[in-house]
Every structure is written in C-alpha cells, then in structure tokens.
Amino acid sequence: MLDFQADSGDPPRSASGFAALRLDQSFLKSRRGIVLGSELLLLLLMFICYAISVTAFMAGPLIFIVITLTFLVVYMANYQDKLTGINWPCIDFLRAASSAVIFLILSITTAAKSKDGGSASAALFGFILTGVLVYDAQDLYRTILSDQNPQVEGAGASQSSNLDAE
C-alpha cells in the first residue's frame, strides 16, 4: 500500500537570505581551496603583525583579505558557473599576479625598515605569501592556457576547467 504525504497546496519555498547561499565545503579540500585558504591565513598573519608594529602598512593585507575572501566565496558557492559572462580564471590570475608583485615590494620595504620582531615577522610572512601567490598565478596561467588550447599536453592537468575539486 502506498503512503502519500498530504500536500498543502502551497508552492515549495526557496531559501532566502543566507540560507540561499549554499557553500560547497568540499571545495576547501581541493587544491584550489587549500591555496586560497593558505593565502587567507598568511594575509591574516601579516595583518596582525602590521597591526602590532607598522600600522602604515596595514591597508595592503586588509584589502587583499577582502578580495581573497570574495574569490573564496565565489568558488565555494559555484558562482563562476552562474556568472558566465566573467572570465573567472583570468580575473583570478590577475588577482594573484598583481598581489604577488605588491606583496613582494611591501615585504622588501618592511624588511628594510624592520626594527622590531613584528615587522620582521610580517616581512617573512610576506615573502612566503609571495611564493604562494606566484604558485597560484602559475597554476591559473596553466589552466587558462589549457582551456584555450586543448592540444597543450599536461598544461592544465592540475585543475579542471571550472576550478572545482578534482
């Protein structure tokens, strides 16, 4: 005997507000999620070190925390699939490449002016962050190249075309 559930006749409700923002937690375990998470952690450490020692340089890490967090939410919510008019890998490549240049300059300046432990730590975290950003930019560049030219062997083997988990 089949048991049917009574239908109230109301149309199903769609989630609203923050409930509509469904974040894919498995993205954080992918290579792309780990790289963005490590960038966010290093930026936070740099911001704390600058807040302790050299407050004039706090704006750089703070702005890039917001930008990196935005890209993390975009990828976790799969907005790159919904907003197809934007070339997300290209914009993310520009973010990573410009951030690498900016934080390399900022870290060199901080290391040259360091007089206490906080600024020296910020410079160290900045150099590590620069390395992570260069890796990120190089990986994104390979992804863009493999999306444009399918005959390039192994160029985008590290990521899928939509930057999701493997």
Side-chain angles (χ1 to χ4, degrees), residues 60 64 95-108 130 133:
F64 282 101
R95 176 201 60 85
S98 64
S99 298
V101 171
I102 289 170
F103 282 109
L104 179 64
I105 294 169
L106 189 63
S107 298
I108 290 171
T130 301
L133 287 166

Side-chain angles (χ1 to χ4, degrees), residues 5-63:
Q5 203 170 13
D7 188 20
S8 63
D10 294 333
R13 289 186 185 178
S14 62
S16 62
F18 283 118
L21 182 69
R22 294 195 177 127
L23 299 178
D24 183 17
Q25 299 295 326
S26 65
F27 176 77
L28 293 176
K29 296 176 184 169
S30 69
R31 182 183 306 185
R32 184 87 197 110
I34 291 170
V35 169
L36 280 173
S38 63
E39 288 174 11
L40 202 57
L41 179 69
L42 287 167
L43 284 166
L44 185 63
L45 289 172
M46 278 184 70
F47 178 74
I48 291 170
C49 290
Y50 282 140
I52 292 171
S53 62
V54 186
T55 56
F57 295 148
M58 277 181 17
L62 185 62
I63 290 169

Side-chain angles (χ1 to χ4, degrees), residues 89-150:
C90 185
I91 290 176
D92 203 8
F93 168 75
L94 291 173
R95 176 201 60 85
S98 64
S99 298
V101 171
I102 289 170
F103 282 109
L104 179 64
I105 294 169
L106 189 63
S107 298
I108 290 171
T109 305
T110 304
K113 292 184 174 185
S114 68
K115 294 178 181 160
D116 58 350
S119 58
S121 297
L124 177 67
F125 290 135
F127 286 126
I128 295 171
L129 177 64
T130 301
V132 171
L133 287 166
V134 166
Y135 168 77
D136 191 14
Q138 183 262 345
D139 201 27
L140 286 164
Y141 181 73
R142 290 174 120 188
T143 301
I144 293 168
L145 241 139
S146 68
D147 287 348
Q148 290 178 355
N149 189 2

